[in-house]
Amino acid sequence: MGKKSKEKFEVVEGETIDACLDRIKAAGYFPVRRTEEPIFAEEIENGKVQYVPVDRKIVFEVKLIE
């Protein structure tokens, strides 16, 4: 059985977006959509809980190059 026609690639910590795109291309895929999700940290200030964005997760949806 061959590769999946659709796949998801996540930009890992310490990796640039360009490096992730190179990894996608080397695996035989091309990106069709990029999504970003914020990562929040919980902070308590004056007895109130606040959620502060600290990072983001970037995920590429890709399709197989035919």
Side-chain angles (χ1 to χ4, degrees):
M1 188 166 153
K3 294 182 181 180
K4 294 181 184 178
S5 63
K6 290 184 179 180
E7 193 72 52
K8 289 186 179 184
F9 282 77
E10 183 176 336
V11 178
V12 294
E13 189 174 335
E15 181 182 38
T16 64
I17 293 173
D18 286 336
C20 183
L21 291 172
D22 289 341
R23 186 165 48 101
I24 290 169
K25 187 176 181 180
Y29 292 93
F30 68 95
V32 292
R33 178 182 290 168
R34 170 185 162 167
T35 57
E36 292 187 28
E37 298 176 17
I39 299 173
F40 293 96
E42 194 176 273
E43 291 184 1
I44 300 173
E45 187 175 304
N46 298 330
K48 293 184 180 180
V49 177
Q50 294 184 346
Y51 297 96
V52 180
V54 293
D55 203 1
R56 64 183 176 179
K57 180 170 91 168
I58 301 173
V59 178
F60 287 98
E61 292 180 19
V62 300
K63 285 190 175 181
L64 188 61
I65 297 173
E66 296 178 10

